[in-house]
Amino acid sequence: MLEFKFDTQLLIAGHDLNEDTISDYITENIKGDCLLAVGDDELIKIHFHTNTPWKVLEYCASLGEIHDIVIENMERQTQGLKG
C-alpha cells in the first residue's frame, strides 16, 4: 500500500512565478512526496504524490492558469488497473 496514492501533474502559466516559492508552499502545506516544481517565471511544471490532489490544484490555480492536468491513482496502477 502506498502512503500517497495520487500522482498529480500539471502546468501553471502565469507571470512572476517562482519555482522555489511554489515548492516551499507545497512542502509546508500539503502532505506528500516526490515533489518537482520546475520551470521559469511564466511556466511551471508540477509533479507531486499526495492523497489530496485538490489542494495542489487549488493552490496552483491561485497562481495562474492551470492546464495539462493529470491525476493518476497509483494504487490502481500497481494492481494492473487503469489509474
Side-chain angles (χ1 to χ4, degrees), residues 2-36:
L2 299 170
E3 183 177 3
F4 301 107
K5 72 180 195 176
F6 294 107
D7 179 3
T8 307
Q9 301 176 50
L10 65 132
L11 296 173
I12 310 166
H15 302 286
D16 300 320
L17 298 173
N18 183 294
E19 58 190 26
D20 292 330
T21 301
I22 294 168
S23 180
D24 289 346
Y25 180 89
I26 291 173
T27 300
E28 294 170 9
N29 294 283
I30 304 171
K31 290 184 180 183
D33 64 10
C34 297
L35 174 62
L36 292 175

Side-chain angles (χ1 to χ4, degrees), residues 16-72:
D16 300 320
L17 298 173
N18 183 294
E19 58 190 26
D20 292 330
T21 301
I22 294 168
S23 180
D24 289 346
Y25 180 89
I26 291 173
T27 300
E28 294 170 9
N29 294 283
I30 304 171
K31 290 184 180 183
D33 64 10
C34 297
L35 174 62
L36 292 175
V38 295
D40 57 31
D41 64 341
E42 294 183 353
L43 186 67
I44 300 282
K45 166 78 175 188
I46 300 293
H47 174 270
F48 190 52
H49 296 169
T50 184
N51 292 328
T52 56
W54 57 89
K55 291 182 180 181
V56 178
L57 297 177
E58 182 177 48
Y59 169 65
C60 293
S62 75
L63 302 174
E65 180 181 353
I66 58 173
H67 59 97
D68 292 355
I69 300 163
V70 176
I71 300 172
E72 296 179 320

